[in-house]
Amino acid sequence: MPTPRSRRGSLTPVFLKMKKFNFRKVLDGLTASSPGSGSGSGSNSSGGSGAMHPGGTAGVLREEIQETLTSEYFHICKTVRHGFPYQPTALAFDPVQKTLAIGTRTGAIRILGRPGVDCYCQHESGAAVLQLQFLINEGALVSASSDDTLHLWNLRQKRPAILHSLKFNRERITYCHLPFQSKWLYVGTERGNTHIVNIESFILSGYVIMWNKAIELSTKTHPGPVVHLSDSPRDEGKLLIGYENGTVVFWDLKSKRAELRVYYDEAIHSIDWHHEGKQFMCSHSDGSLTLWNLKSPSRPFQTTIPHGKSPREGRKSESCKPILKVEYKTCRNSEPFIIFSGGLSYDKACRRPSLTIMHGKAITVLEMDHPIVEFLTLCETPYPNEFQEPYAVVVLLEKDLIVVDLTQSNFPIFENPYPMDIHESPVTCTAYFADCPPDLILVLYSIGVKHKKQGYSNKEWPITGGAWNLGTQTYPEIIITGHADGSIKFWDASAITLQMLYKLKTAKVFEKQKVGEGKQTCEIVEEDPYAIQMIYWCPESRIFCVSGVSAYVIIYKFSRHEITTEIVSLEVRLQYDVEDIITPEPETSPPFPDLSSQLPSRSLSGSTNTVASEGVTKDSIPCLNVKTRPVRMPPGYQAELVIQLVWVDGEPPQQITSLAVSSAYGIVAFGNCNGLAVVDFIQKTVLLSMGTIDLYRSSDLYQRQPRSPRKNKQFIADNFCMRGLSNFYPDLTKRIRTSYQSLTELNDSPVPLELERCKSPTSDHVNGHYTSPTSQSCSSGKRLSSADVSKVNRWGPGRPPFRKAQSAACMEISLPVTTEESRENSYNRSRSSSISSIDKDSKEAITALYFMESFARKNDSTISPCLFVGTSLGMVLIISLNLPSADEQRFTEPVMVLPSGAVLTFSCMDRTGALMQPPYEVWKDPNNIDENEKSLRRKLVMNCPSPSQDIGDHQYTIICSEKQAKVFSLPSQTCLYVHNITETSFILQADVVVLCNSACLACFCANGHIMIMSLPSLRPMLDVNYLPLTDMRIARTFCFTNEGQALYLVSPTEIQRLTYSQEMCDNLQDMLGDLFTPIETPEAQNRGFLKGLFGGSGQTFDREELFGEASAGKASRSLAQHIPGPGGIEGMKGAAGGVMGELTRARIALDERGQRLGELEEKTAGMMTSAEAFSKHAHELMLKYKDKKWYQF
């Protein structure tokens, strides 16, 4: 068992078996200009095949590794969806089961219960959900969709399935109503007719209420669509029908005639009954509420305009905005509640959407942050003819879900336990970590709970339906989301749930921009200058690093103690400048001088002065201003260092495309389309700042042309990104151009092409230039720009020309890239941090970075700290890091950064096939007073081959490009395996992950395929066409992690999680919550003798007799078509689940019947005992008076 130990006096590593690895965006940013090497030397170029490279040790290594993964280990299935339902349209609540259903415009339904019970289901048609109706306490749900179809969902299974559908052919559905404990559904249509559907068989009844029969014969106009249906609480045989034009009909179902009609001048939006069934209230389009009494239908009993101004004498009341919905709920011990949405005065145009609560004489207006879609009042009883006793109001907003507590006078809201605020600020990037250190969740929660909002209701969340258990999955999972406002959210994602742990606001390190001071930033990004672009997290060392759209990098360290300190910042110049580069011929290159003679003169980096031509040229200016005053940093993540790229020669800095951090080395590296920067965040020093061309030295294989003029550069670049897409995907071109706007806004909108770069914080751009400033240090609270150091001519006498690289590895290991011609047949890209379209004539972006203890050069005998750099042309270079040997010297001695020959690697495996973890530093609180004396001792955990192994190749290295994956052995750099992953598309995301203690390569392609390959042989394990890439949001946020898990942002408000593990798919049923639990329906209150006698005939109403086929006949076949449950594999699964649900329902019903029979048996036994006792006493009484005469009594 390997154990971590402190690294003191030498670089002796400790072998540690890999537990977790995250392989991010590995060389997937390849462009059209690379002379791709197809399938590599000596390899099979056929797609989907692995090939052995004839190398010296390849056979030995192949024999030693026994791969355990097979295709039976893999299967793709969705697990759970988190977040707020996107574009909600409908709301329903089961008052007995206490479950909530939300329908959306995309045809989705989310069913929510207690925390952990969260189910997502989707209509195959994708039609918007108009209305939802629970079969109360029956485990079923009826949905009405915009394609005029009714669906019956079975909720008595963990994955709801459609049992029946009914498609209306000639009429459009506008309103549905299902009475409590009834199997007959009333359906109102746009023509004004009312149809009745049998819920059990989903067949239309022959009983129809035609609009011309409902209104008076003298009426000359059509009443409009049906906007309301409800049966009378007093008499179930009477149906209240509300029409849009203001007509209300009280229909007698038995006599098939209108018992009464009421008329109002204003259009009706909603109606609600008083529980006694003698009065009902209507809401109208002029902001008025009318209360009607059945005894006097000629005029309203009461008319009010709650938000209207008091009318002057002789004048009509001022109209207000429409009241879209009203609910009239009674209480036994207080005044009734009248709750409605809308109705505000027109002169208050700036007021936000509101919900008004009228209780007695008190009127409370609750202003909302978003428009109200729907609301429901939660009541104690499901019976409409009893006192309702409301206790809460569920308000569905366009972008939020809130529940208001009605039991307290100030109407506080409940704290929402669901992750409904993922989109509080639009999500711009995601990261997923499975099998994290177990203490992290508790630590993050303990810090985050201190910053939670206050003022919530002290009562428990009222939606408590369903049942949920942890299942068999026990390892901790954490999801991190980056947002457009610069915030970072850490989520506990264990056991397919999601709960917010901790929120970090990165914008707090910058000064707030005043009006007119954001010009330098707006040229980089039009809005959201703090948007998070990339995330890098080391869970073991708790080092956290982010890069933002405004070309900055922030390094955070975790501490449990609050501090007040100045924020240290560095400014780095990355300049692309090819006009003055003269590459010497390799044959005439002099020998490379001794390294020791170069380092003191800072020859590996230099600085180019900015020359202003005409007017004022921006130079050495960062996009944002870091706070210079001492800043209070609460416990949690605290900013250690802020690194900013600056303007160069009037050109803004390019956005960062790759990011990597090593806590063991104390180094952060990042790159963009200009070049690479390496920073020591322990000594706050810039170690390296070089253009991509300089990294190659004279071994550069590609010819770069001078950059195009500044004024046309942006337009040409953006046009290059889009020109291939418009020809083959014209309907998607506008959406891709505004891909970041779709992240920051819920609705896509057209954006001019010139603003594409300004709109996208995750786009790679193709303008700008770079230079190589010298290494420099920075003290706390000060900024040091690379322009402050002495200017060095890169090709002056003090710096000899580069020599030829030690090997031709650049050519041998280059991977195929997507050419412009091949892109014509595939999905084009608007590039994020690893998805970019780069000008092949002038740019080579840094697309992937990776720290590892490995072999810096070919045939090296010892390992050393290395940084692997991958570019958009499919090339990989190694930068060697020379670290001080002692811990004390690490804080004072400089770190030397030495570019070396190129080699292909982005993930490492040892010779046994175990994935190697990059070295890391064991976390310790940097602000702990007790550890100050030990502050210089850094405890490092290394992971490298044991020195006792035989001399030979010790590592496998894995690389994945847009088209191909290769496996090399080190240090011989022998290509062992090659696999052509795709021919017609390209890879968007690739990660090396661990499943069942074995490593595999997981890829997500632009054509929607998810592919898994074993390692190191690259044998295909899984290839599934999961989903087509129709939105760049998916491409930017898709990520794999260990234990067979993955996620992506399926909509601006929702995260979809999935698994590619067969074991998890098999155990998924145990992990999902139960939507239905057997609960006895509460008994109705005793109505009393007088109410039962004079309360109407509702108790004797038989709907079956009235609506059944025997009396009502059959409906026209052309009116509606019955459709059984969906076909296909999913339909078979749903049908099987439906059968299981029906069997479960039958068993539960049988259990309930047995329980009732048992109770009846007990009551019968009690009655028999009582009867026997009565018989005994009667017999004794008879014997006593048997012989007595009548006059003796």
Side-chain angles (χ1 to χ4, degrees), residues 1089-1158:
F1089 176 74
L1090 294 178
K1091 285 189 177 181
L1093 185 61
F1094 301 105
S1097 59
Q1099 299 299 320
T1100 61
F1101 179 66
D1102 188 355
R1103 293 187 178 90
E1104 180 68 32
E1105 180 182 354
L1106 188 60
F1107 303 144
E1109 185 177 338
S1111 58
K1114 293 183 178 180
S1116 173
R1117 292 186 177 181
S1118 62
L1119 182 60
Q1121 177 187 1
H1122 176 262
I1123 305 171
I1129 297 177
E1130 293 298 325
M1132 292 172 61
K1133 291 181 180 179
V1139 171
M1140 293 178 62
E1142 290 297 328
L1143 291 175
T1144 305
R1145 179 176 180 177
R1147 179 181 58 80
I1148 294 172
L1150 189 61
D1151 292 342
E1152 293 176 353
R1153 184 171 178 233
Q1155 184 178 359
R1156 291 171 183 168
L1157 288 175

Side-chain angles (χ1 to χ4, degrees), residues 27 30-46 51 53 701-702 808-819 872-876 904 959-968 975 977-981 983:
L27 274 191
L30 308 179
T31 61
S33 59
S34 173
S37 58
S39 56
S41 175
S43 63
N44 189 352
S45 61
S46 61
H53 189 290
L701 304 175
Y702 303 98
C810 288
M811 176 62 73
E812 291 176 2
I813 63 175
S814 62
L815 294 180
V817 297
T818 306
T819 63
S872 57
L873 294 181
M875 305 304 298
V876 178
L904 183 60
I959 183 67
C960 184
S961 75
E962 291 178 324
K963 296 282 189 179
Q964 191 181 78
K966 286 186 178 182
V967 176
F968 284 75
C975 181
Y977 302 96
V978 178
H979 180 70
N980 295 321
I981 298 175
E983 296 290 345

